[in-house]
Amino acid sequence: KVRIATDNYDATLNALAVPKLDTSAYLTAAFTIKGEAPMLPGTVNLYRDGVFMGQGGLPLLSPDEEAKLGFGADDLIKVKRSEVKRKKGEEGIISTSNVEERAWYIVVKNLHDAAIPVTVLDQLPFSANENVVITPMPQMTPPTEKDLNKRRGVMAWRFDLAPKAESTVKFGYKVAWPQNMQVGMNVE
């Protein structure tokens, strides 16, 4: 093995959390390839604060193309998703509908001595049946992006979290369907 080149890039860090699946926040670094020649594919050594973290891989990257590398779970970002509402019932006067309401608080705490950009992902259910209506709760924190990367229902909240600070994302929805219809929801 022979080293061909060594490059330094200014990276944009981000802590990515999907608290519905995992309470860890994962540190990622994104950078743009500079120069006139492409970066050849291969293995890269990953260092964080001067400590070897492991190895990653990069595909062939052209100049001005963005690359992303993962640096594992960041134990100084704490994430907690707590259910604050689960209500099932009926509503309506003339025609009755079944209704289910669910809501969560997602609390993200930064224990770093520096601010860090955070992205929180969660999923709003969707229906293929027009008789099943899903609406976000009015007190919900508006997402920064809906249908992230063209994935239906995936929502992202992006914010910079100050050092030693915490932020709460309020997330919830209401599902309504006709009383005579059987609905099976595949949600946690």
Side-chain angles (χ1 to χ4, degrees):
K1 291 184 180 184
V2 176
R3 182 182 305 204
I4 296 173
T6 300
D7 288 319
N8 290 316
Y9 292 98
D10 293 326
T12 303
L13 297 178
N14 186 55
L16 176 65
V18 186
K20 182 177 181 178
L21 303 176
D22 187 353
T23 58
S24 297
Y26 292 87
L27 188 64
T28 62
F31 58 95
T32 303
I33 303 303
K34 56 188 176 186
E36 296 178 12
M39 179 181 279
L40 299 175
T43 303
V44 292
N45 291 327
L46 303 173
Y47 291 87
R48 180 173 165 193
D49 298 327
V51 177
F52 179 72
M53 298 296 294
Q55 292 184 323
L58 286 175
L60 177 67
L61 296 166
S62 299
D64 297 326
E65 189 173 359
E66 186 180 68
K68 286 188 181 178
L69 292 169
F71 284 82
D74 187 337
D75 51 351
L76 294 179
I77 303 285
K78 302 296 181 186
V79 182
K80 184 177 180 186
R81 183 178 192 253
S82 306
E83 188 172 48
V84 293
K85 184 175 193 177
R86 182 185 281 217
K87 181 178 158 188
K88 195 170 186 177
E90 298 176 348
E91 70 178 25
I93 297 172
I94 297 172
S95 65
T96 306
S97 295
N98 291 314
V99 173
E100 184 170 334
E101 293 180 0
R102 308 227 16 220
W104 297 266
Y105 287 168
I106 302 168
V107 179
V108 183
K109 189 172 189 175
N110 179 7
L111 300 176
H112 285 281
D113 291 330
I116 190 157
V118 175
T119 301
V120 175
L121 302 181
D122 214 313
Q123 186 176 16
L124 186 69
F126 58 88
S127 173
N129 186 321
E130 63 186 33
N131 293 323
V132 178
V133 179
I134 300 165
T135 53
M137 299 288 238
Q139 66 272 23
M140 184 173 109
T141 305
T144 309
E145 189 173 347
K146 295 179 182 179
D147 297 333
L148 182 69
N149 298 331
K150 298 181 182 176
R151 292 181 293 172
R152 190 172 178 191
V154 177
M155 298 188 307
W157 292 267
R158 290 188 175 94
F159 49 91
D160 289 333
L161 194 54
K164 310 297 183 197
E166 75 177 36
S167 182
T168 301
V169 173
K170 296 177 182 178
F171 172 63
Y173 55 83
K174 178 171 96 171
V175 181
W177 65 94
Q179 190 171 27
N180 62 351
M181 178 186 273
Q182 292 285 353
V183 174
M185 289 192 288
N186 296 327
V187 293
E188 92 180 61

